[in-house]
Amino acid sequence: VLQALDGADLAHIAAHGTFRADSPLFSSLHLDDGPLTVHDLEGLRRSPYRVILSSCDSAAHVGVGGDELLGLASALAPRGTAGILASVGPVNDQATTELMLVLHQELRRGRSLAEAICAARAGSGGDPVATATGWSFIAIGGA
């Protein structure tokens, strides 16, 4: 996964995530062969241009000394990732799947991550779980 992420134009990781407030560098995405941690992401030669982390708590972070933030999403921005879409809390798997399908349709139309998530949210049809899931995701950066 790290090899595929390195320098990618768009990376989408659909995995369960865990934010560790006690040790943010070990916040992780749960992959088949083990966790992908913030520490692992710091080893990329070149960050992906845009990243979608469609997992729980992938945008969660904690402040540490010197106004530094640590967490999955905040590990990518200082390394050159121009746009990140991630969740600030737990999300429903089925609703996230449907949201991400619309999101990718919007990205193919040339929209930024922020524009695409806004359009995807609008397609929730008033379902409360889909609506809550859509509002759990935030776009960071301008890509």
Side-chain angles (χ1 to χ4, degrees), residues 34-58:
L36 177 67
T37 66
V38 170
H39 181 72
D40 295 328
L41 294 174
E42 291 179 341
L44 293 173
R45 287 183 319 225
R46 197 172 114 228
S47 269
Y49 179 67
R50 291 190 292 184
V51 176
I52 299 168
L53 301 172
S54 58
S55 61
C56 297
D57 298 317
S58 52

Side-chain angles (χ1 to χ4, degrees), residues 5 27-28 36 72 79-80 86 89 107 117 130:
L5 286 174
S27 295
S28 64
L36 177 67
L72 288 164
R79 287 169 177 67
L107 290 173
I117 192 61

Side-chain angles (χ1 to χ4, degrees), residues 2-139:
L2 285 172
Q3 186 177 16
L5 286 174
D6 209 331
D9 182 54
L10 173 65
H12 183 149
I13 301 177
H16 290 285
T18 302
F19 175 69
R20 296 228 359 226
D22 65 323
S23 186
L25 287 175
F26 292 101
S27 295
S28 64
L29 297 170
H30 305 277
L31 305 180
D32 186 54
D33 63 347
L36 177 67
T37 66
V38 170
H39 181 72
D40 295 328
L41 294 174
E42 291 179 341
L44 293 173
R45 287 183 319 225
R46 197 172 114 228
S47 269
Y49 179 67
R50 291 190 292 184
V51 176
I52 299 168
L53 301 172
S54 58
S55 61
C56 297
D57 298 317
S58 52
H61 58 268
V62 66
V64 295
D67 295 329
E68 183 180 10
L69 295 175
L70 290 178
L72 288 164
S74 57
L76 294 165
R79 287 169 177 67
T81 297
I84 302 162
L85 185 81
S87 170
V88 294
V91 291
N92 176 278
D93 288 347
Q94 182 60 39
T96 299
T97 299
E98 293 168 14
L99 183 77
M100 291 300 129
L101 290 171
V102 176
L103 178 94
H104 279 282
Q105 289 172 350
E106 297 300 323
L107 290 173
R108 283 192 297 277
R109 290 185 177 130
R111 294 192 174 194
S112 69
L113 286 173
E115 293 167 330
I117 192 61
C118 285
R121 286 177 186 149
S124 69
D127 175 66
V129 173
T131 299
T133 299
W135 283 103
S136 295
F137 285 91
I138 60 169

